[in-house]
Amino acid sequence: IGHILAVSGLHVSIIAALLMTVLNVLKIDRRISFVVMDIVLAGFVLMANSPVSAVRAAVMMNFFYAAGLFRRQNDSLNSLSAAALLISIANPYCIFDEGFLLSLAGTFGIAVFAPLMAGRENSDKLSDILKRDMLTGLCTAAAVFPVSMLFFDETSVISPITNILLVPVCTAAMVIGLI
């Protein structure tokens, strides 16, 4: 569960979503909301000593909310690719960093591979939600597997199952703690 507790893209995403929801409820102009979100995320990433996964998530959040600001369609693959490009331009040696590659692979599994495998079904039935969560966990594990084997010569077989159980609990705890 170290990746859940370490400052990462999950934290950045939660902070951005909560902040933008509050600003939207307060009827703050979307351009001002975008700038406020950027400042808060930059401050958060800097306070956390700029872990590459948090930087990647902050850049992706920037692209995600900028798409709405400019009335464009958001595409996770393009956002992920642009974030990887910007980070590697700033630090070309990051392409050898396991944290950077694990962050990219995990995000690819969650945001690109899993939705592709799940198709367009958006049922709210509990069984369908659990199936999507399990599929997302498996897709993420499949995407992270090669990087994990490359750097650590091992991978966790149980991690997809524990992620399905622990990520919602830890996310709820973080949201409640943030509120």
Side-chain angles (χ1 to χ4, degrees), residues 19-81:
L19 180 64
M20 293 304 276
T21 301
V22 167
L23 294 172
N24 191 28
V25 167
L26 295 174
K27 306 261 190 265
I28 305 294
D29 183 68
R30 58 193 176 117
R31 291 173 294 231
I32 294 171
S33 296
F34 181 76
V35 171
V36 169
M37 182 208 57
D38 268 351
I39 292 169
V40 168
L41 290 185
F44 177 73
V45 168
L46 288 172
M47 283 191 301
N49 202 21
S50 304
V52 71
S53 61
V55 172
R56 185 232 2 108
V59 172
M60 287 185 71
M61 287 292 113
N62 194 297
F63 282 118
F64 177 78
Y65 287 108
L69 189 64
F70 295 108
R71 302 190 193 287
R72 299 284 182 211
Q73 182 69 27
N74 179 49
D75 180 11
S76 298
L77 181 59
N78 287 341
S79 297
L80 179 62
S81 301

Side-chain angles (χ1 to χ4, degrees), residues 1-4 133-134 136-138 140-142 144-145 148 154-167:
I1 65 170
H3 67 282
I4 296 171
D133 286 350
M134 289 177 62
T136 300
L138 291 173
T140 304
V144 169
F145 177 77
S148 180
E154 65 183 8
T155 191
S156 173
V157 178
I158 198 167
S159 68
I161 297 165
T162 56
N163 283 345
I164 291 168
L165 299 173
L166 290 177
V167 168

